[in-house]
PDB file of all heavy atoms in Angstrom:
ATOM      1  N   GLY A  33      -7.088  31.480 -20.895  1.00  0.00           N
ATOM      2  CA  GLY A  33      -7.564  30.412 -21.792  1.00  0.00           C
ATOM      3  C   GLY A  33      -8.829  29.781 -21.288  1.00  0.00           C
ATOM      4  O   GLY A  33      -9.357  30.200 -20.246  1.00  0.00           O
ATOM      5  N   LEU A  35      -9.257  26.214 -21.030  1.00  0.00           N
ATOM      6  CA  LEU A  35      -9.123  24.840 -20.575  1.00  0.00           C
ATOM      7  C   LEU A  35      -9.360  24.726 -19.067  1.00  0.00           C
ATOM      8  O   LEU A  35      -8.802  25.523 -18.293  1.00  0.00           O
ATOM      9  CB  LEU A  35      -7.663  24.401 -20.883  1.00  0.00           C
ATOM     10  CG  LEU A  35      -7.403  22.907 -20.804  1.00  0.00           C
ATOM     11  CD1 LEU A  35      -7.832  22.210 -22.117  1.00  0.00           C
ATOM     12  CD2 LEU A  35      -5.929  22.616 -20.519  1.00  0.00           C
ATOM     13  N   ILE A  59      -3.071  20.988 -31.789  1.00  0.00           N
ATOM     14  CA  ILE A  59      -3.575  21.957 -32.787  1.00  0.00           C
ATOM     15  C   ILE A  59      -4.391  23.018 -32.025  1.00  0.00           C
ATOM     16  O   ILE A  59      -5.429  22.722 -31.409  1.00  0.00           O
ATOM     17  CB  ILE A  59      -4.470  21.271 -33.832  1.00  0.00           C
ATOM     18  CG1 ILE A  59      -3.624  20.224 -34.615  1.00  0.00           C
ATOM     19  CG2 ILE A  59      -5.059  22.293 -34.834  1.00  0.00           C
ATOM     20  CD1 ILE A  59      -4.465  19.354 -35.561  1.00  0.00           C
ATOM     21  N   GLY A  60      -3.886  24.257 -32.013  1.00  0.00           N
ATOM     22  CA  GLY A  60      -4.561  25.347 -31.262  1.00  0.00           C
ATOM     23  C   GLY A  60      -3.923  25.507 -29.887  1.00  0.00           C
ATOM     24  O   GLY A  60      -4.291  24.833 -28.951  1.00  0.00           O
ATOM     25  N   SER A  61      -2.989  26.413 -29.749  1.00  0.00           N
ATOM     26  CA  SER A  61      -2.288  26.584 -28.477  1.00  0.00           C
ATOM     27  C   SER A  61      -2.607  27.922 -27.812  1.00  0.00           C
ATOM     28  O   SER A  61      -2.390  28.034 -26.610  1.00  0.00           O
ATOM     29  CB  SER A  61      -0.775  26.500 -28.668  1.00  0.00           C
ATOM     30  OG  SER A  61      -0.346  27.018 -29.900  1.00  0.00           O
ATOM     31  N   PHE A  62      -3.072  28.901 -28.551  1.00  0.00           N
ATOM     32  CA  PHE A  62      -3.414  30.198 -28.041  1.00  0.00           C
ATOM     33  C   PHE A  62      -2.281  30.744 -27.206  1.00  0.00           C
ATOM     34  O   PHE A  62      -1.192  30.970 -27.697  1.00  0.00           O
ATOM     35  CB  PHE A  62      -4.784  30.123 -27.300  1.00  0.00           C
ATOM     36  CG  PHE A  62      -5.461  31.451 -27.150  1.00  0.00           C
ATOM     37  CD1 PHE A  62      -5.756  32.218 -28.272  1.00  0.00           C
ATOM     38  CD2 PHE A  62      -5.829  31.942 -25.894  1.00  0.00           C
ATOM     39  CE1 PHE A  62      -6.393  33.486 -28.122  1.00  0.00           C
ATOM     40  CE2 PHE A  62      -6.452  33.146 -25.755  1.00  0.00           C
ATOM     41  CZ  PHE A  62      -6.755  33.893 -26.827  1.00  0.00           C
ATOM     42  N   LYS A  65      -1.925  27.589 -22.510  1.00  0.00           N
ATOM     43  CA  LYS A  65      -2.431  26.919 -21.298  1.00  0.00           C
ATOM     44  C   LYS A  65      -2.361  25.395 -21.469  1.00  0.00           C
ATOM     45  O   LYS A  65      -1.700  24.696 -20.644  1.00  0.00           O
ATOM     46  CB  LYS A  65      -3.915  27.339 -21.081  1.00  0.00           C
ATOM     47  CG  LYS A  65      -4.399  27.153 -19.632  1.00  0.00           C
ATOM     48  CD  LYS A  65      -5.776  27.751 -19.511  1.00  0.00           C
ATOM     49  CE  LYS A  65      -6.307  27.689 -18.088  1.00  0.00           C
ATOM     50  NZ  LYS A  65      -5.810  28.665 -17.180  1.00  0.00           N
ATOM     51  N   SER A  66      -2.965  24.811 -22.534  1.00  0.00           N
ATOM     52  CA  SER A  66      -2.895  23.388 -22.726  1.00  0.00           C
ATOM     53  C   SER A  66      -1.463  22.939 -23.047  1.00  0.00           C
ATOM     54  O   SER A  66      -1.045  21.876 -22.634  1.00  0.00           O
ATOM     55  CB  SER A  66      -3.851  22.955 -23.877  1.00  0.00           C
ATOM     56  OG  SER A  66      -3.668  23.782 -25.001  1.00  0.00           O
ATOM     57  N   ILE A  85       0.835  23.627 -32.933  1.00  0.00           N
ATOM     58  CA  ILE A  85       0.476  24.268 -34.187  1.00  0.00           C
ATOM     59  C   ILE A  85      -0.592  25.367 -34.029  1.00  0.00           C
ATOM     60  O   ILE A  85      -1.679  25.073 -33.504  1.00  0.00           O
ATOM     61  CB  ILE A  85      -0.006  23.219 -35.188  1.00  0.00           C
ATOM     62  CG1 ILE A  85       1.128  22.160 -35.378  1.00  0.00           C
ATOM     63  CG2 ILE A  85      -0.397  23.808 -36.515  1.00  0.00           C
ATOM     64  CD1 ILE A  85       0.690  20.888 -35.928  1.00  0.00           C
ATOM     65  N   ASP A  86      -0.271  26.537 -34.435  1.00  0.00           N
ATOM     66  CA  ASP A  86      -1.212  27.674 -34.327  1.00  0.00           C
ATOM     67  C   ASP A  86      -0.630  28.842 -35.126  1.00  0.00           C
ATOM     68  O   ASP A  86       0.508  29.183 -34.952  1.00  0.00           O
ATOM     69  CB  ASP A  86      -1.349  28.065 -32.851  1.00  0.00           C
ATOM     70  CG  ASP A  86      -2.567  28.909 -32.553  1.00  0.00           C
ATOM     71  OD1 ASP A  86      -2.819  29.874 -33.324  1.00  0.00           O
ATOM     72  OD2 ASP A  86      -3.299  28.643 -31.565  1.00  0.00           O
ATOM     73  N   PRO A  87      -1.463  29.478 -35.961  1.00  0.00           N
ATOM     74  CA  PRO A  87      -0.982  30.652 -36.677  1.00  0.00           C
ATOM     75  C   PRO A  87      -0.879  31.851 -35.734  1.00  0.00           C
ATOM     76  O   PRO A  87      -0.289  32.893 -36.074  1.00  0.00           O
ATOM     77  CB  PRO A  87      -2.074  30.916 -37.733  1.00  0.00           C
ATOM     78  CG  PRO A  87      -3.307  30.277 -37.163  1.00  0.00           C
ATOM     79  CD  PRO A  87      -2.835  29.094 -36.333  1.00  0.00           C
ATOM     80  N   THR A  89      -3.083  33.927 -34.837  1.00  0.00           N
ATOM     81  CA  THR A  89      -3.869  35.096 -35.230  1.00  0.00           C
ATOM     82  C   THR A  89      -5.272  35.024 -34.586  1.00  0.00           C
ATOM     83  O   THR A  89      -6.096  35.902 -34.865  1.00  0.00           O
ATOM     84  CB  THR A  89      -3.965  35.134 -36.764  1.00  0.00           C
ATOM     85  OG1 THR A  89      -4.252  33.822 -37.221  1.00  0.00           O
ATOM     86  CG2 THR A  89      -2.666  35.644 -37.383  1.00  0.00           C
ATOM     87  N   GLY A  90      -5.529  33.971 -33.777  1.00  0.00           N
ATOM     88  CA  GLY A  90      -6.820  33.845 -33.100  1.00  0.00           C
ATOM     89  C   GLY A  90      -7.841  33.190 -34.007  1.00  0.00           C
ATOM     90  O   GLY A  90      -7.636  33.062 -35.226  1.00  0.00           O
ATOM     91  N   SER A  91      -8.964  32.809 -33.401  1.00  0.00           N
ATOM     92  CA  SER A  91     -10.023  32.184 -34.150  1.00  0.00           C
ATOM     93  C   SER A  91     -11.109  33.226 -34.441  1.00  0.00           C
ATOM     94  O   SER A  91     -10.970  34.391 -34.026  1.00  0.00           O
ATOM     95  CB  SER A  91     -10.658  31.047 -33.354  1.00  0.00           C
ATOM     96  OG  SER A  91      -9.667  30.035 -33.129  1.00  0.00           O
ATOM     97  N   LYS A 133      -1.208  27.575 -39.943  1.00  0.00           N
ATOM     98  CA  LYS A 133      -2.530  26.940 -39.846  1.00  0.00           C
ATOM     99  C   LYS A 133      -2.322  25.420 -39.938  1.00  0.00           C
ATOM    100  O   LYS A 133      -1.420  24.988 -40.694  1.00  0.00           O
ATOM    101  CB  LYS A 133      -3.463  27.391 -40.971  1.00  0.00           C
ATOM    102  CG  LYS A 133      -3.829  28.836 -40.815  1.00  0.00           C
ATOM    103  CD  LYS A 133      -4.817  29.229 -41.935  1.00  0.00           C
ATOM    104  CE  LYS A 133      -5.329  30.612 -41.635  1.00  0.00           C
ATOM    105  NZ  LYS A 133      -6.238  31.146 -42.577  1.00  0.00           N
ATOM    106  N   SER A 134      -3.159  24.629 -39.253  1.00  0.00           N
ATOM    107  CA  SER A 134      -2.938  23.159 -39.251  1.00  0.00           C
ATOM    108  C   SER A 134      -3.054  22.606 -40.604  1.00  0.00           C
ATOM    109  O   SER A 134      -2.350  21.671 -40.966  1.00  0.00           O
ATOM    110  CB  SER A 134      -3.970  22.548 -38.297  1.00  0.00           C
ATOM    111  OG  SER A 134      -5.235  22.784 -38.701  1.00  0.00           O
ATOM    112  N   GLU A 135      -3.967  23.193 -41.456  1.00  0.00           N
ATOM    113  CA  GLU A 135      -4.150  22.643 -42.803  1.00  0.00           C
ATOM    114  C   GLU A 135      -2.888  22.843 -43.645  1.00  0.00           C
ATOM    115  O   GLU A 135      -2.641  22.100 -44.614  1.00  0.00           O
ATOM    116  CB  GLU A 135      -5.363  23.177 -43.496  1.00  0.00           C
ATOM    117  CG  GLU A 135      -5.494  24.694 -43.590  1.00  0.00           C
ATOM    118  CD  GLU A 135      -6.175  25.400 -42.367  1.00  0.00           C
ATOM    119  OE1 GLU A 135      -5.997  24.911 -41.238  1.00  0.00           O
ATOM    120  OE2 GLU A 135      -6.840  26.403 -42.547  1.00  0.00           O
ATOM    121  N   ASP A 151      -7.739  21.432 -30.857  1.00  0.00           N
ATOM    122  CA  ASP A 151      -8.414  22.598 -30.204  1.00  0.00           C
ATOM    123  C   ASP A 151      -8.126  23.865 -31.012  1.00  0.00           C
ATOM    124  O   ASP A 151      -7.820  24.899 -30.476  1.00  0.00           O
ATOM    125  CB  ASP A 151      -7.899  22.748 -28.761  1.00  0.00           C
ATOM    126  CG  ASP A 151      -8.702  23.726 -27.918  1.00  0.00           C
ATOM    127  OD1 ASP A 151      -9.873  24.005 -28.287  1.00  0.00           O
ATOM    128  OD2 ASP A 151      -8.215  24.182 -26.911  1.00  0.00           O
ATOM    129  N   GLY A 152      -8.241  23.726 -32.331  1.00  0.00           N
ATOM    130  CA  GLY A 152      -7.916  24.860 -33.224  1.00  0.00           C
ATOM    131  C   GLY A 152      -9.205  25.598 -33.627  1.00  0.00           C
ATOM    132  O   GLY A 152     -10.014  25.942 -32.792  1.00  0.00           O
ATOM    133  N   ASP A 153      -9.378  25.784 -34.922  1.00  0.00           N
ATOM    134  CA  ASP A 153     -10.625  26.419 -35.476  1.00  0.00           C
ATOM    135  C   ASP A 153     -11.786  25.466 -35.176  1.00  0.00           C
ATOM    136  O   ASP A 153     -11.711  24.260 -35.597  1.00  0.00           O
ATOM    137  CB  ASP A 153     -10.463  26.681 -36.978  1.00  0.00           C
ATOM    138  CG  ASP A 153     -11.563  27.546 -37.515  1.00  0.00           C
ATOM    139  OD1 ASP A 153     -12.723  27.304 -37.171  1.00  0.00           O
ATOM    140  OD2 ASP A 153     -11.246  28.446 -38.296  1.00  0.00           O
TER     141      ASP A 153
HETATM  142  C1  SAM B  26      -9.593  27.834 -28.293  1.00  0.00           C
HETATM  143  S1  SAM B  26      -8.031  28.437 -28.772  1.00  0.00           S
HETATM  144  C2  SAM B  26      -6.913  27.252 -28.184  1.00  0.00           C
HETATM  145  C3  SAM B  26      -6.842  27.209 -26.724  1.00  0.00           C
HETATM  146  C4  SAM B  26      -5.649  26.463 -26.108  1.00  0.00           C
HETATM  147  N1  SAM B  26      -5.659  25.094 -26.444  1.00  0.00           N
HETATM  148  C5  SAM B  26      -5.606  26.689 -24.622  1.00  0.00           C
HETATM  149  O1  SAM B  26      -5.528  25.732 -23.846  1.00  0.00           O
HETATM  150  O2  SAM B  26      -5.682  27.868 -24.215  1.00  0.00           O
HETATM  151  C6  SAM B  26      -8.065  28.182 -30.490  1.00  0.00           C
HETATM  152  C7  SAM B  26      -6.743  28.512 -31.198  1.00  0.00           C
HETATM  153  O3  SAM B  26      -6.805  27.913 -32.489  1.00  0.00           O
HETATM  154  C8  SAM B  26      -6.065  28.749 -33.356  1.00  0.00           C
HETATM  155  N2  SAM B  26      -6.453  28.482 -34.731  1.00  0.00           N
HETATM  156  C9  SAM B  26      -7.454  29.066 -35.479  1.00  0.00           C
HETATM  157  N3  SAM B  26      -7.494  28.552 -36.706  1.00  0.00           N
HETATM  158  C10 SAM B  26      -6.491  27.613 -36.814  1.00  0.00           C
HETATM  159  C11 SAM B  26      -6.017  26.728 -37.794  1.00  0.00           C
HETATM  160  N4  SAM B  26      -6.578  26.738 -38.961  1.00  0.00           N
HETATM  161  N5  SAM B  26      -4.975  25.945 -37.468  1.00  0.00           N
HETATM  162  C12 SAM B  26      -4.450  25.909 -36.242  1.00  0.00           C
HETATM  163  N6  SAM B  26      -4.860  26.712 -35.228  1.00  0.00           N
HETATM  164  C13 SAM B  26      -5.873  27.546 -35.490  1.00  0.00           C
HETATM  165  C14 SAM B  26      -6.321  30.153 -32.895  1.00  0.00           C
HETATM  166  O4  SAM B  26      -5.311  31.030 -33.313  1.00  0.00           O
HETATM  167  C15 SAM B  26      -6.447  29.977 -31.387  1.00  0.00           C
HETATM  168  O5  SAM B  26      -5.238  30.334 -30.736  1.00  0.00           O
END
Side-chain angles (χ1 to χ4, degrees):
L35 194 83
I59 299 173
S61 36
F62 200 56
K65 202 174 182 80
S66 49
I85 300 160
D86 197 314
T89 45
S91 297
K133 291 184 173 179
S134 60
E135 55 272 35
D151 192 19
D153 192 316

